[in-house]
């Protein structure tokens, strides 16, 4: 959960210019936005999170607690994907999420 908070804070600092925890304004020059510098990092984040929301082959053997934990993680991942969308844009984020489906479709 600590890393989810990091990505939230970073996305807010980059898009709004304010640290949401401390409410301190972060100076961002209007001439040069650092958002594009973080595109590769947020792209890797989306690809990594995409793998974590898939059900495992052993899902049938999960306990009720395992299912609840997985649901909580998926909610946190959903929030983090929303933060990534603020940096990457909706189309790029969606394309990254759908990449495995496109790849599978071309193999069929």
């Amino acid at each position: 959960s600590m890393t989810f908070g990091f990505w939230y804070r970073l996305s807010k600092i980059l898009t709004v210019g304010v640290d949401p925890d401390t409410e301190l304004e972060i100076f961002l020059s209007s001439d040069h936005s650092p958002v594009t510098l973080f595109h590769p990092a947020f792209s890797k984040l989306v690809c990594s999170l995409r793998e974590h929301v898939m059900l495992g082959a052993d899902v049938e053997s999960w306990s009720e607690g395992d299912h609840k934990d997985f649901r909580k993680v998926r909610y946190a991942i959903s929030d983090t994907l929303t933060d990534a969308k603020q940096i990457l844009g909706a189309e790029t984020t969606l394309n990254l999420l759908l990449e495995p489906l496109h790849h599978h479709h071309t193999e069929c």
Side-chain angles (χ1 to χ4, degrees):
S1 68
M2 184 173 150
T3 59
F4 293 130
F6 166 80
W7 292 105
Y8 168 75
R9 287 183 65 202
L10 181 58
S11 70
K12 293 303 175 209
I13 289 169
L14 293 172
T15 57
V16 181
V18 175
D19 183 328
D21 289 343
T22 64
E23 296 184 4
L24 292 174
E25 289 187 33
I26 308 297
F27 178 76
L28 296 176
S29 169
S30 60
D31 297 337
H32 180 66
S33 173
V35 170
T36 55
L37 295 173
F38 286 89
H39 275 208
F42 276 89
S43 293
K44 288 180 182 178
L45 172 67
V46 169
C47 292
S48 175
L49 293 176
R50 173 182 72 202
E51 305 302 318
H52 289 290
V53 295
M54 290 191 225
L55 289 171
D58 63 341
V59 69
E60 298 298 324
S61 66
W62 288 6
S63 69
E64 185 178 331
D66 293 336
H67 284 280
K68 285 182 181 179
D69 290 344
F70 185 68
R71 188 177 317 122
K72 286 179 188 178
V73 169
R74 283 190 359 215
Y75 287 140
I77 288 173
S78 173
D79 290 343
T80 304
L81 289 172
T82 301
D83 299 332
K85 178 196 65 89
Q86 297 299 319
I87 302 301
L88 298 171
E91 186 174 348
T92 300
T93 304
L94 190 56
N95 284 336
L96 289 168
L97 291 171
L98 294 176
E99 220 170 54
L101 292 175
H102 291 300
H103 179 71
H104 177 74
H105 179 69
T106 58
E107 289 179 351
C108 294

